[in-house]
Amino acid sequence: MPEIQWQEPFCGNSGNACIQIGHTADGTPILRETARPHELLVITRDGLRNFIEAAKRGDLDHLTV
């Protein structure tokens, strides 16, 4: 896996559910949960954009507890 540049993690209110986004040198987005740093989700830019737009529209609200 190429070198990944990570952003600061985004954490929930409890502070223990943190998601981190990074990217490779060619701009490929990668996600991970900080509790499992070796498990990576490699996605496309379009996939990430679609996911973020769906979350903003509230399409994923049924997934929250």
Side-chain angles (χ1 to χ4, degrees):
M1 176 67 61
E3 183 68 28
I4 301 170
Q5 300 297 314
W6 293 105
Q7 302 277 329
E8 288 295 316
F10 302 96
C11 299
N13 293 335
S14 64
N16 61 357
C18 301
I19 299 293
Q20 202 168 20
I21 187 168
H23 61 85
T24 61
D26 69 356
T28 302
I30 300 177
L31 298 173
R32 71 179 178 183
E33 188 170 356
T34 56
R36 297 179 172 186
H38 299 296
E39 296 179 21
L40 306 178
L41 175 62
V42 180
I43 54 179
T44 64
R45 289 180 185 181
D46 287 340
L48 178 59
R49 184 179 302 109
N50 292 339
F51 181 80
I52 291 170
E53 289 173 356
K56 286 181 177 180
R57 284 192 308 270
D59 294 350
L60 306 175
D61 289 353
H62 67 284
L63 300 174
T64 61
V65 201

